[in-house]
Amino acid sequence: MADTQVDEKQAARAERRADKLARQIGSFAKEHGGAEGQVAYLGERGARIALVGEDGAWGNLVAPTHAVALSAVQKSGITVHEDFDGEFAAKVKTGPYEWSRMAGIQLGGPKNS
């Protein structure tokens, strides 16, 4: 009986986390004219939800598990891609800040600290 209660609590916690992530995804989509995403497994850390808005803005969310991430994107109603490549990746718009951060030490940009 105790194991069942623990499982139910964990399931409820996962459901609440998926709901919260879905709201965050929805807010991002609303702010950026819609959004698409991709879920990537991060190992023990969970899963990353990469988001790309219709305006080219991008962001990431981290879910505690891959299942929670998949539930969140499903609840949010966004289009989910298998891979972050091709036409989907081409939608990302980056500016001078991102380029200097990505280049970082190699080109004398700000250090990634």
Side-chain angles (χ1 to χ4, degrees):
M1 183 87 158
D3 287 341
T4 303
Q5 289 176 338
V6 170
D7 291 343
E8 288 174 2
K9 284 183 179 182
Q10 288 175 339
R13 186 177 299 122
E15 187 71 20
R16 286 190 305 272
R17 184 65 178 134
D19 289 343
K20 181 178 180 181
L21 287 165
R23 287 190 303 273
Q24 291 173 311
I25 293 166
S27 293
F28 179 89
K30 185 177 179 181
E31 186 175 331
H32 299 285
E36 299 176 44
Q38 189 261 340
V39 176
Y41 181 66
L42 294 175
E44 289 183 23
R45 297 194 61 186
R48 175 182 66 114
I49 304 168
L51 299 169
V52 179
E54 288 300 314
D55 62 359
W58 55 277
N60 291 295
L61 295 170
V62 176
T65 66
H66 196 261
V68 168
L70 292 176
S71 177
V73 295
Q74 180 183 25
K75 289 177 181 204
S76 73
I78 65 169
T79 299
V80 181
H81 297 269
E82 290 291 320
D83 296 306
F84 199 95
D85 61 4
E87 289 182 35
F88 179 49
K91 291 182 178 187
V92 174
K93 291 193 177 27
T94 56
Y97 173 78
E98 288 86 5
W99 281 102
S100 69
R101 294 291 291 179
M102 287 187 274
I105 297 168
Q106 293 87 354
L107 298 178
K111 293 184 180 179
N112 293 330
S113 55

